[in-house]
Amino acid sequence: MGLKVAIIEGRGKLGGTCLNVGCMPSKALLHASELYDAAANGELAAMGVEVTTKLNLPQMMKQKADSVEALTKGVEFLMKKNKVEYIKGWGRIAGPGKVVVKTEDGAESTLETKNIVIATGSEPTPLPGVTVDNQRVVDSTGALVLPEVPKSLIVVGAGVIGLELGSVWRRLGAEVTVVEYLDRILPGTDDEVAKAFQRILVKQGFKFKLGAKVTGAMATAKQAQLTVEPVAGGPAETLQADYVLVAIGRRPFTEGLGLETVGITPDKRGVIANDHFKTSAPGVWVVGDVTSGPMLAHKAEDEGVACIELIAGKAGHVNYGIIPGVIYTKPEVATVGQTEEQLKAAGVAYKIGKFPFAANSRAKINHEGDGFVKVLADAKTDQILGVHMIGPNVGDMIGEYCVAMEFGGASEDVARTCHPHPTRSEALRQAAMGVEGWTMQA
Ligand code: NAI
C-alpha cells in the first residue's frame, strides 16, 4: 500500500500468541499425539499395521519448538521482504502520534507517526482463588511444555483450549477431567454439535463435571488440589490431580500501553472499542483480540488487512457473519454462521439438512465415521445461514461453505456442485441436498 511501517514487538519473536504459544505449538502437539494415539491404542493395528509404541516426549516437544522457530523466522523474513522495520522492544503510546519503545537494555526511543495500530492481543483470564504457577497449575502456555505426561489432569473450562490441550494429554496417557461452570461444553456452539461432541469425547475417555464452580486451588510440589462446588448449590468437593490446566477464556492485553495519553478507556472487560477499526482517539486504530469479536487469528488477520486498507484510503471490510471457528480435536469441529439457537431467537424460519459421516464412503473406509454435517438454510430463500460439523478434517473443508456464504449462496448451489468421489467433502454436499430433502447417500 506504499506506507512506511514499523512493527514493535516485545516478545523477542514475531508471530504473537498464535505462533509462539497458541495455535501453532498446540497443533504440533495435536498432530503428533494423534499419531501416537493411533499407534498406541490399536487404531493402526486394526488396519493391519502392528507397531510397538514408545513415547519420546522430549522429541515430541523438540519438533514442536523447531517448527515454531522456523515459522517465526519465516515471519521475520516476510517483514524484511516487505520492508517493514522490526523493532524489538515494548511499545507505549505517549500522546497523539508518539510511541515510545523500550528495548531489552532499558534504552528508550520515540517514534513519530500518523497512524498507530494497536494489535496487542490477549492473555489468559485469571480464575479468582487460583494461582497459576505454571508448575502444577498451568495456563495454556504451561500446558504446552509439561515436563511429563500427567497421570491425571484437571482442565478448568470446557472451551476450545481445554478440549484441544486436554485431548493432547489424554492421547499421551493422562486421565482428563474437565470442570465446567455451565451445564454444557463449548458455550455459543450449536447445541446439537456440542452435545454430540461431548458424547464422542466421553467415548475417548474424557470425564466431565458440568455445572461446577472452582473456588480454590492448592499446589504442592507433586500435586494440585482443587475445591469445586456445584453451581446449583450443594456440598463442595476436593479434586486431586498431577496438574491443573486453567482455560476459562482470554482477556484483552493492554498493560502499560499508555492508552490514557490519547484518552482511550477500555471497557470493564478490557476491550478497546472500535468503529471500523478506529478507536476514540484520532489516528489510533485497533485490531484482533484486544478489540471486540471472536479471539481468533484469522479474524485478527482479516481485520489487519481491512484496517490498513482504510488507513491507505481504500475500502476495507470484514464480514463478521462469516468467520469460521474450528476445534482441532479428533474428530474436528467446524462451524460458520448462525447456530440453530440464534436463528430461533431471531425468529428466522429455517430448514435443516444433515448428513452423518458414518454414511460417507471415504470416512467409513478410513474408520472415521464419527460426526455429521448440519446445514441451516433460510426456509424461503434457501440462503445458507449456518453450517456446523463434527468429523474428519472438517476444519479444512469448512472453507467451501465460507466461500458459498460470501457469495450469498443457497444450499441448492452446494447441492448441485459436483464434488469429487470418494472424499469426505461429499458429506458437505449431501447435507446441502438434505435441506430440500433429496440426500442420496443415506
Ligand atoms: P473459551 O471461551 O473457549 O472457553 C472457556 C470455558 O470456560 C467456557 O466454557 C466457560 O463457560 C468456562 N468457564 C469460565 N469461567 C469458569 C469457571 N470459573 N469455572 C469453570 N469454567 C469456567 O476460552 P479458552 O478455551 O480459554 O480459549 C481462549 C480463547 O482462545 C478463545 O477465544 C478461543 O476461541 C481461542 N482459541 C481458539 C482456538 C481455535 O480456534 N482452535 C484454540 C485455542 C484457543
Side-chain angles (χ1 to χ4, degrees):
M1 300 252 141
L3 301 174
K4 191 171 171 224
V5 181
I7 181 158
I8 304 165
E9 170 58 57
R11 187 191 295 270
K13 301 222 161 112
L14 294 175
T17 299
C18 170
L19 213 166
N20 290 282
V21 289
C23 330
M24 301 321 300
S26 63
K27 262 81 265 179
L29 291 184
L30 278 159
H31 178 65
S33 64
E34 187 179 320
L35 296 177
Y36 173 82
D37 195 29
N41 298 327
E43 229 177 281
L44 289 189
M47 289 186 271
V49 183
E50 294 188 1
V51 287
T52 312
T53 33
K54 181 168 167 282
L55 178 66
N56 181 345
L57 188 61
Q59 173 57 24
M60 197 178 277
M61 292 293 175
K62 184 181 175 298
Q63 59 86 33
K64 172 201 67 173
D66 289 349
S67 303
V68 168
E69 180 72 16
L71 287 171
T72 57
K73 290 262 161 59
V75 177
E76 214 173 313
F77 164 76
L78 286 175
M79 292 301 114
K80 258 196 206 115
K81 188 178 153 199
N82 289 284
K83 301 191 178 55
V84 174
E85 189 184 349
Y86 167 25
I87 302 173
K88 286 190 186 171
W90 292 101
R92 162 169 60 85
I93 301 174
K98 278 206 174 67
V99 178
V100 172
V101 188
K102 189 174 186 176
T103 44
E104 228 178 10
D105 57 9
E108 286 199 345
S109 56
T110 303
L111 303 175
E112 300 213 358
T113 177
K114 268 199 221 140
N115 293 289
I116 300 168
V117 180
I118 300 173
T120 46
S122 59
E123 60 179 358
T125 305
L127 178 57
V130 177
T131 308
V132 170
D133 58 11
N134 269 331
Q135 299 290 321
R136 289 287 153 186
V137 182
V138 300
D139 57 19
S140 55
T141 304
L144 290 169
V145 289
L146 293 184
E148 59 184 353
V149 178
K151 279 197 192 66
S152 50
L153 171 70
I154 297 175
V155 176
V156 185
V160 192
I161 292 182
L163 300 182
E164 285 187 359
L165 291 179
S167 288
V168 166
W169 294 106
R170 187 211 48 82
R171 292 168 186 170
L172 299 181
E175 194 171 282
V176 177
T177 306
V178 182
V179 180
E180 163 63 46
Y181 187 87
L182 300 175
D183 58 3
R184 56 162 298 166
I185 68 168
L186 296 173
T189 306
D190 191 89
D191 271 0
E192 190 181 6
V193 165
K195 284 205 183 88
F197 188 49
Q198 189 183 342
R199 280 196 295 274
I200 291 171
L201 292 172
V202 167
K203 241 183 6 192
Q204 293 178 356
F206 269 86
K207 291 201 176 89
F208 287 95
K209 222 172 222 318
L210 302 182
K213 185 164 74 180
V214 174
T215 52
M218 241 188 47
T220 63
K222 294 208 163 144
Q223 268 215 329
Q225 263 189 9
L226 215 55
T227 323
V228 178
E229 282 175 22
V231 173
E237 62 175 320
T238 305
L239 304 177
Q240 281 197 350
D242 288 353
Y243 293 88
V244 171
L245 161 61
V246 181
I248 59 160
R250 296 180 64 87
R251 62 178 185 189
F253 179 69
T254 55
E255 206 185 295
L257 204 54
L259 295 176
E260 63 291 347
T261 66
V262 284
I264 297 174
T265 314
D267 73 9
K268 61 178 188 308
R269 290 184 307 128
V271 175
I272 300 177
N274 86 82
D275 176 9
H276 295 86
F277 323 112
K278 280 193 178 109
T279 67
S280 57
V284 184
W285 307 72
V286 64
V287 298
D289 284 14
V290 73
T291 190
S292 47
M295 290 186 174
L296 297 170
H298 43 279
K299 172 261 193 189
E301 180 180 354
D302 280 19
E303 287 185 334
V305 170
C307 174
I308 302 305
E309 284 176 328
L310 291 177
I311 289 175
K314 300 199 168 3
H317 178 71
V318 174
N319 183 354
Y320 288 95
I322 311 182
I323 293 176
V326 176
I327 307 172
Y328 296 90
T329 42
K330 188 182 177 188
E332 290 182 343
V333 176
T335 67
V336 64
Q338 300 187 71
T339 63
E340 230 187 305
E341 294 70 43
Q342 285 169 332
L343 294 175
K344 274 189 191 136
V348 177
Y350 60 91
K351 284 187 176 174
I352 305 178
K354 245 177 94 175
F355 190 82
F357 276 101
N360 171 268
S361 55
R362 184 67 184 280
K364 189 104 186 130
I365 53 161
N366 285 3
H367 308 284
E368 295 173 331
D370 271 340
F372 57 86
V373 181
K374 170 174 166 180
V375 176
L376 303 169
D378 189 288
K380 276 202 209 85
T381 65
D382 193 30
Q383 183 173 4
I384 304 162
L385 302 174
V387 180
H388 307 276
M389 349 192 229
I390 308 177
N393 289 75
V394 290
D396 284 312
M397 297 193 290
I398 190 111
E400 160 178 350
Y401 270 105
C402 297
V403 173
M405 288 171 76
E406 279 290 357
F407 280 82
S411 79
E412 190 180 354
D413 292 324
V414 176
R416 293 195 182 276
T417 301
C418 187
H419 283 59
H421 174 78
T423 65
R424 291 165 289 201
S425 73
E426 289 173 278
L428 277 65
R429 179 188 190 185
Q430 293 291 322
M433 289 172 159
V435 173
E436 295 292 328
W438 61 292
T439 295
M440 301 198 303
Q441 295 177 356

PDB file of all heavy atoms in Angstrom, residues 34-67:
ATOM      1  N   GLU A  34      -1.899 -37.339  18.014  1.00  0.00           N
ATOM      2  CA  GLU A  34      -2.906 -38.109  17.272  1.00  0.00           C
ATOM      3  C   GLU A  34      -2.260 -39.351  16.652  1.00  0.00           C
ATOM      4  O   GLU A  34      -2.816 -40.448  16.700  1.00  0.00           O
ATOM      5  CB  GLU A  34      -3.527 -37.215  16.181  1.00  0.00           C
ATOM      6  CG  GLU A  34      -4.688 -37.861  15.488  1.00  0.00           C
ATOM      7  CD  GLU A  34      -5.308 -36.959  14.424  1.00  0.00           C
ATOM      8  OE1 GLU A  34      -5.436 -35.740  14.652  1.00  0.00           O
ATOM      9  OE2 GLU A  34      -5.659 -37.482  13.351  1.00  0.00           O
ATOM     10  N   LEU A  35      -1.064 -39.165  16.106  1.00  0.00           N
ATOM     11  CA  LEU A  35      -0.352 -40.304  15.512  1.00  0.00           C
ATOM     12  C   LEU A  35       0.023 -41.316  16.602  1.00  0.00           C
ATOM     13  O   LEU A  35      -0.134 -42.524  16.430  1.00  0.00           O
ATOM     14  CB  LEU A  35       0.909 -39.821  14.784  1.00  0.00           C
ATOM     15  CG  LEU A  35       0.669 -38.905  13.580  1.00  0.00           C
ATOM     16  CD1 LEU A  35       1.986 -38.435  12.992  1.00  0.00           C
ATOM     17  CD2 LEU A  35      -0.160 -39.622  12.523  1.00  0.00           C
ATOM     18  N   TYR A  36       0.482 -40.791  17.739  1.00  0.00           N
ATOM     19  CA  TYR A  36       0.851 -41.678  18.849  1.00  0.00           C
ATOM     20  C   TYR A  36      -0.368 -42.491  19.295  1.00  0.00           C
ATOM     21  O   TYR A  36      -0.298 -43.706  19.468  1.00  0.00           O
ATOM     22  CB  TYR A  36       1.395 -40.857  20.028  1.00  0.00           C
ATOM     23  CG  TYR A  36       1.632 -41.689  21.255  1.00  0.00           C
ATOM     24  CD1 TYR A  36       2.801 -42.433  21.393  1.00  0.00           C
ATOM     25  CD2 TYR A  36       0.672 -41.754  22.266  1.00  0.00           C
ATOM     26  CE1 TYR A  36       3.013 -43.219  22.512  1.00  0.00           C
ATOM     27  CE2 TYR A  36       0.875 -42.550  23.391  1.00  0.00           C
ATOM     28  CZ  TYR A  36       2.048 -43.278  23.506  1.00  0.00           C
ATOM     29  OH  TYR A  36       2.237 -44.061  24.614  1.00  0.00           O
ATOM     30  N   ASP A  37      -1.474 -41.792  19.455  1.00  0.00           N
ATOM     31  CA  ASP A  37      -2.714 -42.425  19.921  1.00  0.00           C
ATOM     32  C   ASP A  37      -3.138 -43.539  18.961  1.00  0.00           C
ATOM     33  O   ASP A  37      -3.502 -44.640  19.382  1.00  0.00           O
ATOM     34  CB  ASP A  37      -3.803 -41.342  20.006  1.00  0.00           C
ATOM     35  CG  ASP A  37      -5.006 -41.801  20.818  1.00  0.00           C
ATOM     36  OD1 ASP A  37      -4.824 -42.631  21.730  1.00  0.00           O
ATOM     37  OD2 ASP A  37      -6.122 -41.315  20.548  1.00  0.00           O
ATOM     38  N   ALA A  38      -3.059 -43.241  17.663  1.00  0.00           N
ATOM     39  CA  ALA A  38      -3.469 -44.241  16.667  1.00  0.00           C
ATOM     40  C   ALA A  38      -2.585 -45.474  16.759  1.00  0.00           C
ATOM     41  O   ALA A  38      -3.050 -46.609  16.623  1.00  0.00           O
ATOM     42  CB  ALA A  38      -3.398 -43.633  15.265  1.00  0.00           C
ATOM     43  N   ALA A  39      -1.303 -45.237  17.039  1.00  0.00           N
ATOM     44  CA  ALA A  39      -0.373 -46.363  17.133  1.00  0.00           C
ATOM     45  C   ALA A  39      -0.526 -47.106  18.464  1.00  0.00           C
ATOM     46  O   ALA A  39      -0.555 -48.334  18.502  1.00  0.00           O
ATOM     47  CB  ALA A  39       1.063 -45.863  16.976  1.00  0.00           C
ATOM     48  N   ALA A  40      -0.661 -46.332  19.531  1.00  0.00           N
ATOM     49  CA  ALA A  40      -0.650 -46.949  20.862  1.00  0.00           C
ATOM     50  C   ALA A  40      -1.973 -47.602  21.227  1.00  0.00           C
ATOM     51  O   ALA A  40      -2.001 -48.558  22.006  1.00  0.00           O
ATOM     52  CB  ALA A  40      -0.290 -45.894  21.908  1.00  0.00           C
ATOM     53  N   ASN A  41      -3.059 -47.062  20.691  1.00  0.00           N
ATOM     54  CA  ASN A  41      -4.362 -47.536  21.160  1.00  0.00           C
ATOM     55  C   ASN A  41      -5.104 -48.430  20.168  1.00  0.00           C
ATOM     56  O   ASN A  41      -6.321 -48.497  20.158  1.00  0.00           O
ATOM     57  CB  ASN A  41      -5.223 -46.343  21.588  1.00  0.00           C
ATOM     58  CG  ASN A  41      -4.561 -45.606  22.745  1.00  0.00           C
ATOM     59  OD1 ASN A  41      -3.900 -46.226  23.571  1.00  0.00           O
ATOM     60  ND2 ASN A  41      -4.697 -44.303  22.778  1.00  0.00           N
ATOM     61  N   GLY A  42      -4.343 -49.074  19.302  1.00  0.00           N
ATOM     62  CA  GLY A  42      -4.926 -50.137  18.499  1.00  0.00           C
ATOM     63  C   GLY A  42      -5.542 -49.724  17.174  1.00  0.00           C
ATOM     64  O   GLY A  42      -5.962 -50.574  16.390  1.00  0.00           O
ATOM     65  N   GLU A  43      -5.602 -48.419  16.899  1.00  0.00           N
ATOM     66  CA  GLU A  43      -6.223 -47.984  15.640  1.00  0.00           C
ATOM     67  C   GLU A  43      -5.431 -48.487  14.435  1.00  0.00           C
ATOM     68  O   GLU A  43      -6.003 -48.960  13.458  1.00  0.00           O
ATOM     69  CB  GLU A  43      -6.229 -46.456  15.616  1.00  0.00           C
ATOM     70  CG  GLU A  43      -7.558 -45.843  15.260  1.00  0.00           C
ATOM     71  CD  GLU A  43      -7.450 -44.332  15.333  1.00  0.00           C
ATOM     72  OE1 GLU A  43      -7.503 -43.769  16.451  1.00  0.00           O
ATOM     73  OE2 GLU A  43      -7.272 -43.731  14.273  1.00  0.00           O
ATOM     74  N   LEU A  44      -4.109 -48.390  14.520  1.00  0.00           N
ATOM     75  CA  LEU A  44      -3.273 -48.852  13.413  1.00  0.00           C
ATOM     76  C   LEU A  44      -3.323 -50.374  13.314  1.00  0.00           C
ATOM     77  O   LEU A  44      -3.431 -50.939  12.230  1.00  0.00           O
ATOM     78  CB  LEU A  44      -1.818 -48.394  13.596  1.00  0.00           C
ATOM     79  CG  LEU A  44      -1.527 -46.916  13.406  1.00  0.00           C
ATOM     80  CD1 LEU A  44      -0.021 -46.677  13.395  1.00  0.00           C
ATOM     81  CD2 LEU A  44      -2.139 -46.393  12.114  1.00  0.00           C
ATOM     82  N   ALA A  45      -3.258 -51.029  14.472  1.00  0.00           N
ATOM     83  CA  ALA A  45      -3.272 -52.499  14.488  1.00  0.00           C
ATOM     84  C   ALA A  45      -4.536 -53.024  13.815  1.00  0.00           C
ATOM     85  O   ALA A  45      -4.508 -54.016  13.073  1.00  0.00           O
ATOM     86  CB  ALA A  45      -3.177 -53.006  15.920  1.00  0.00           C
ATOM     87  N   ALA A  46      -5.663 -52.325  14.033  1.00  0.00           N
ATOM     88  CA  ALA A  46      -6.929 -52.758  13.436  1.00  0.00           C
ATOM     89  C   ALA A  46      -6.867 -52.688  11.910  1.00  0.00           C
ATOM     90  O   ALA A  46      -7.623 -53.367  11.215  1.00  0.00           O
ATOM     91  CB  ALA A  46      -8.064 -51.883  13.952  1.00  0.00           C
ATOM     92  N   MET A  47      -5.949 -51.863  11.388  1.00  0.00           N
ATOM     93  CA  MET A  47      -5.807 -51.770   9.926  1.00  0.00           C
ATOM     94  C   MET A  47      -4.630 -52.616   9.431  1.00  0.00           C
ATOM     95  O   MET A  47      -4.182 -52.475   8.302  1.00  0.00           O
ATOM     96  CB  MET A  47      -5.635 -50.303   9.520  1.00  0.00           C
ATOM     97  CG  MET A  47      -6.917 -49.504   9.679  1.00  0.00           C
ATOM     98  SD  MET A  47      -6.784 -47.830   9.049  1.00  0.00           S
ATOM     99  CE  MET A  47      -6.187 -46.960  10.475  1.00  0.00           C
ATOM    100  N   GLY A  48      -4.120 -53.466  10.329  1.00  0.00           N
ATOM    101  CA  GLY A  48      -3.047 -54.366   9.919  1.00  0.00           C
ATOM    102  C   GLY A  48      -1.660 -53.776  10.025  1.00  0.00           C
ATOM    103  O   GLY A  48      -0.719 -54.283   9.425  1.00  0.00           O
ATOM    104  N   VAL A  49      -1.533 -52.693  10.745  1.00  0.00           N
ATOM    105  CA  VAL A  49      -0.201 -52.110  10.948  1.00  0.00           C
ATOM    106  C   VAL A  49       0.158 -52.287  12.419  1.00  0.00           C
ATOM    107  O   VAL A  49      -0.346 -51.568  13.276  1.00  0.00           O
ATOM    108  CB  VAL A  49      -0.182 -50.606  10.582  1.00  0.00           C
ATOM    109  CG1 VAL A  49       1.228 -50.040  10.718  1.00  0.00           C
ATOM    110  CG2 VAL A  49      -0.719 -50.386   9.180  1.00  0.00           C
ATOM    111  N   GLU A  50       0.984 -53.287  12.683  1.00  0.00           N
ATOM    112  CA  GLU A  50       1.303 -53.552  14.081  1.00  0.00           C
ATOM    113  C   GLU A  50       2.634 -52.921  14.444  1.00  0.00           C
ATOM    114  O   GLU A  50       3.635 -53.161  13.787  1.00  0.00           O
ATOM    115  CB  GLU A  50       1.295 -55.056  14.337  1.00  0.00           C
ATOM    116  CG  GLU A  50      -0.119 -55.593  14.176  1.00  0.00           C
ATOM    117  CD  GLU A  50      -0.265 -57.037  14.591  1.00  0.00           C
ATOM    118  OE1 GLU A  50       0.726 -57.646  15.019  1.00  0.00           O
ATOM    119  OE2 GLU A  50      -1.395 -57.554  14.471  1.00  0.00           O
ATOM    120  N   VAL A  51       2.608 -52.083  15.449  1.00  0.00           N
ATOM    121  CA  VAL A  51       3.832 -51.408  15.864  1.00  0.00           C
ATOM    122  C   VAL A  51       3.928 -51.436  17.389  1.00  0.00           C
ATOM    123  O   VAL A  51       2.922 -51.533  18.071  1.00  0.00           O
ATOM    124  CB  VAL A  51       3.861 -49.912  15.420  1.00  0.00           C
ATOM    125  CG1 VAL A  51       4.089 -49.779  13.941  1.00  0.00           C
ATOM    126  CG2 VAL A  51       2.588 -49.199  15.837  1.00  0.00           C
ATOM    127  N   THR A  52       5.150 -51.370  17.860  1.00  0.00           N
ATOM    128  CA  THR A  52       5.331 -51.192  19.300  1.00  0.00           C
ATOM    129  C   THR A  52       5.602 -49.714  19.498  1.00  0.00           C
ATOM    130  O   THR A  52       6.481 -49.156  18.843  1.00  0.00           O
ATOM    131  CB  THR A  52       6.547 -52.015  19.784  1.00  0.00           C
ATOM    132  OG1 THR A  52       6.414 -53.318  19.237  1.00  0.00           O
ATOM    133  CG2 THR A  52       6.600 -52.062  21.301  1.00  0.00           C
ATOM    134  N   THR A  53       4.831 -49.079  20.361  1.00  0.00           N
ATOM    135  CA  THR A  53       4.999 -47.625  20.509  1.00  0.00           C
ATOM    136  C   THR A  53       5.706 -47.287  21.800  1.00  0.00           C
ATOM    137  O   THR A  53       5.509 -47.930  22.830  1.00  0.00           O
ATOM    138  CB  THR A  53       3.639 -46.900  20.507  1.00  0.00           C
ATOM    139  OG1 THR A  53       2.679 -47.746  21.102  1.00  0.00           O
ATOM    140  CG2 THR A  53       3.216 -46.493  19.142  1.00  0.00           C
ATOM    141  N   LYS A  54       6.512 -46.262  21.711  1.00  0.00           N
ATOM    142  CA  LYS A  54       7.186 -45.754  22.898  1.00  0.00           C
ATOM    143  C   LYS A  54       7.178 -44.239  22.752  1.00  0.00           C
ATOM    144  O   LYS A  54       7.578 -43.709  21.712  1.00  0.00           O
ATOM    145  CB  LYS A  54       8.609 -46.290  22.940  1.00  0.00           C
ATOM    146  CG  LYS A  54       9.388 -45.831  24.147  1.00  0.00           C
ATOM    147  CD  LYS A  54      10.688 -46.639  24.260  1.00  0.00           C
ATOM    148  CE  LYS A  54      11.627 -46.009  25.255  1.00  0.00           C
ATOM    149  NZ  LYS A  54      12.331 -44.831  24.728  1.00  0.00           N
ATOM    150  N   LEU A  55       6.679 -43.585  23.771  1.00  0.00           N
ATOM    151  CA  LEU A  55       6.603 -42.130  23.704  1.00  0.00           C
ATOM    152  C   LEU A  55       7.964 -41.512  24.013  1.00  0.00           C
ATOM    153  O   LEU A  55       8.573 -41.833  25.028  1.00  0.00           O
ATOM    154  CB  LEU A  55       5.560 -41.617  24.704  1.00  0.00           C
ATOM    155  CG  LEU A  55       5.418 -40.097  24.762  1.00  0.00           C
ATOM    156  CD1 LEU A  55       4.860 -39.554  23.459  1.00  0.00           C
ATOM    157  CD2 LEU A  55       4.531 -39.682  25.930  1.00  0.00           C
ATOM    158  N   ASN A  56       8.397 -40.623  23.137  1.00  0.00           N
ATOM    159  CA  ASN A  56       9.602 -39.832  23.396  1.00  0.00           C
ATOM    160  C   ASN A  56       9.142 -38.382  23.513  1.00  0.00           C
ATOM    161  O   ASN A  56       9.120 -37.638  22.527  1.00  0.00           O
ATOM    162  CB  ASN A  56      10.597 -40.038  22.245  1.00  0.00           C
ATOM    163  CG  ASN A  56      11.886 -39.264  22.472  1.00  0.00           C
ATOM    164  OD1 ASN A  56      11.951 -38.375  23.325  1.00  0.00           O
ATOM    165  ND2 ASN A  56      12.909 -39.602  21.710  1.00  0.00           N
ATOM    166  N   LEU A  57       8.711 -38.020  24.725  1.00  0.00           N
ATOM    167  CA  LEU A  57       8.118 -36.689  24.925  1.00  0.00           C
ATOM    168  C   LEU A  57       9.105 -35.553  24.603  1.00  0.00           C
ATOM    169  O   LEU A  57       8.713 -34.585  23.941  1.00  0.00           O
ATOM    170  CB  LEU A  57       7.567 -36.563  26.351  1.00  0.00           C
ATOM    171  CG  LEU A  57       6.741 -35.298  26.628  1.00  0.00           C
ATOM    172  CD1 LEU A  57       5.503 -35.201  25.748  1.00  0.00           C
ATOM    173  CD2 LEU A  57       6.355 -35.225  28.106  1.00  0.00           C
ATOM    174  N   PRO A  58      10.381 -35.664  25.036  1.00  0.00           N
ATOM    175  CA  PRO A  58      11.309 -34.581  24.674  1.00  0.00           C
ATOM    176  C   PRO A  58      11.402 -34.377  23.155  1.00  0.00           C
ATOM    177  O   PRO A  58      11.457 -33.244  22.675  1.00  0.00           O
ATOM    178  CB  PRO A  58      12.652 -35.060  25.243  1.00  0.00           C
ATOM    179  CG  PRO A  58      12.274 -35.954  26.378  1.00  0.00           C
ATOM    180  CD  PRO A  58      11.001 -36.636  25.952  1.00  0.00           C
ATOM    181  N   GLN A  59      11.396 -35.463  22.386  1.00  0.00           N
ATOM    182  CA  GLN A  59      11.458 -35.319  20.923  1.00  0.00           C
ATOM    183  C   GLN A  59      10.172 -34.686  20.381  1.00  0.00           C
ATOM    184  O   GLN A  59      10.197 -33.843  19.488  1.00  0.00           O
ATOM    185  CB  GLN A  59      11.703 -36.696  20.276  1.00  0.00           C
ATOM    186  CG  GLN A  59      11.616 -36.724  18.748  1.00  0.00           C
ATOM    187  CD  GLN A  59      12.573 -35.742  18.061  1.00  0.00           C
ATOM    188  OE1 GLN A  59      13.595 -35.350  18.630  1.00  0.00           O
ATOM    189  NE2 GLN A  59      12.231 -35.310  16.857  1.00  0.00           N
ATOM    190  N   MET A  60       9.030 -35.083  20.972  1.00  0.00           N
ATOM    191  CA  MET A  60       7.751 -34.503  20.530  1.00  0.00           C
ATOM    192  C   MET A  60       7.771 -32.992  20.782  1.00  0.00           C
ATOM    193  O   MET A  60       7.323 -32.198  19.949  1.00  0.00           O
ATOM    194  CB  MET A  60       6.579 -35.158  21.269  1.00  0.00           C
ATOM    195  CG  MET A  60       5.241 -34.922  20.603  1.00  0.00           C
ATOM    196  SD  MET A  60       3.876 -35.736  21.448  1.00  0.00           S
ATOM    197  CE  MET A  60       3.961 -37.387  20.805  1.00  0.00           C
ATOM    198  N   MET A  61       8.297 -32.605  21.937  1.00  0.00           N
ATOM    199  CA  MET A  61       8.382 -31.177  22.277  1.00  0.00           C
ATOM    200  C   MET A  61       9.384 -30.468  21.365  1.00  0.00           C
ATOM    201  O   MET A  61       9.179 -29.328  20.965  1.00  0.00           O
ATOM    202  CB  MET A  61       8.806 -31.012  23.745  1.00  0.00           C
ATOM    203  CG  MET A  61       7.747 -31.469  24.721  1.00  0.00           C
ATOM    204  SD  MET A  61       6.312 -30.387  24.643  1.00  0.00           S
ATOM    205  CE  MET A  61       5.176 -31.195  25.754  1.00  0.00           C
ATOM    206  N   LYS A  62      10.487 -31.165  21.043  1.00  0.00           N
ATOM    207  CA  LYS A  62      11.531 -30.538  20.227  1.00  0.00           C
ATOM    208  C   LYS A  62      11.011 -30.251  18.809  1.00  0.00           C
ATOM    209  O   LYS A  62      11.227 -29.157  18.274  1.00  0.00           O
ATOM    210  CB  LYS A  62      12.767 -31.446  20.163  1.00  0.00           C
ATOM    211  CG  LYS A  62      13.920 -30.788  19.415  1.00  0.00           C
ATOM    212  CD  LYS A  62      15.138 -31.679  19.317  1.00  0.00           C
ATOM    213  CE  LYS A  62      16.226 -31.035  18.457  1.00  0.00           C
ATOM    214  NZ  LYS A  62      15.830 -30.806  17.052  1.00  0.00           N
ATOM    215  N   GLN A  63      10.320 -31.233  18.210  1.00  0.00           N
ATOM    216  CA  GLN A  63       9.833 -30.998  16.847  1.00  0.00           C
ATOM    217  C   GLN A  63       8.815 -29.859  16.835  1.00  0.00           C
ATOM    218  O   GLN A  63       8.734 -29.082  15.891  1.00  0.00           O
ATOM    219  CB  GLN A  63       9.283 -32.286  16.198  1.00  0.00           C
ATOM    220  CG  GLN A  63       8.123 -32.962  16.936  1.00  0.00           C
ATOM    221  CD  GLN A  63       6.748 -32.406  16.575  1.00  0.00           C
ATOM    222  OE1 GLN A  63       6.524 -31.994  15.448  1.00  0.00           O
ATOM    223  NE2 GLN A  63       5.832 -32.401  17.532  1.00  0.00           N
ATOM    224  N   LYS A  64       8.069 -29.724  17.936  1.00  0.00           N
ATOM    225  CA  LYS A  64       7.137 -28.591  18.056  1.00  0.00           C
ATOM    226  C   LYS A  64       7.915 -27.276  18.105  1.00  0.00           C
ATOM    227  O   LYS A  64       7.640 -26.345  17.334  1.00  0.00           O
ATOM    228  CB  LYS A  64       6.310 -28.765  19.351  1.00  0.00           C
ATOM    229  CG  LYS A  64       5.454 -27.572  19.695  1.00  0.00           C
ATOM    230  CD  LYS A  64       5.063 -27.560  21.178  1.00  0.00           C
ATOM    231  CE  LYS A  64       6.269 -27.331  22.043  1.00  0.00           C
ATOM    232  NZ  LYS A  64       5.953 -27.143  23.480  1.00  0.00           N
ATOM    233  N   ALA A  65       8.926 -27.237  18.976  1.00  0.00           N
ATOM    234  CA  ALA A  65       9.705 -25.995  19.134  1.00  0.00           C
ATOM    235  C   ALA A  65      10.431 -25.648  17.826  1.00  0.00           C
ATOM    236  O   ALA A  65      10.490 -24.474  17.434  1.00  0.00           O
ATOM    237  CB  ALA A  65      10.698 -26.150  20.278  1.00  0.00           C
ATOM    238  N   ASP A  66      10.964 -26.678  17.138  1.00  0.00           N
ATOM    239  CA  ASP A  66      11.671 -26.437  15.865  1.00  0.00           C
ATOM    240  C   ASP A  66      10.728 -25.831  14.826  1.00  0.00           C
ATOM    241  O   ASP A  66      11.086 -24.900  14.110  1.00  0.00           O
ATOM    242  CB  ASP A  66      12.256 -27.739  15.305  1.00  0.00           C
ATOM    243  CG  ASP A  66      13.434 -28.229  16.141  1.00  0.00           C
ATOM    244  OD1 ASP A  66      13.912 -27.455  17.002  1.00  0.00           O
ATOM    245  OD2 ASP A  66      13.854 -29.387  15.944  1.00  0.00           O
ATOM    246  N   SER A  67       9.515 -26.389  14.751  1.00  0.00           N
ATOM    247  CA  SER A  67       8.549 -25.875  13.754  1.00  0.00           C
ATOM    248  C   SER A  67       8.181 -24.436  14.083  1.00  0.00           C
ATOM    249  O   SER A  67       8.086 -23.587  13.188  1.00  0.00           O
ATOM    250  CB  SER A  67       7.265 -26.708  13.741  1.00  0.00           C
ATOM    251  OG  SER A  67       7.564 -28.041  13.484  1.00  0.00           O
TER     252      SER A  67
END
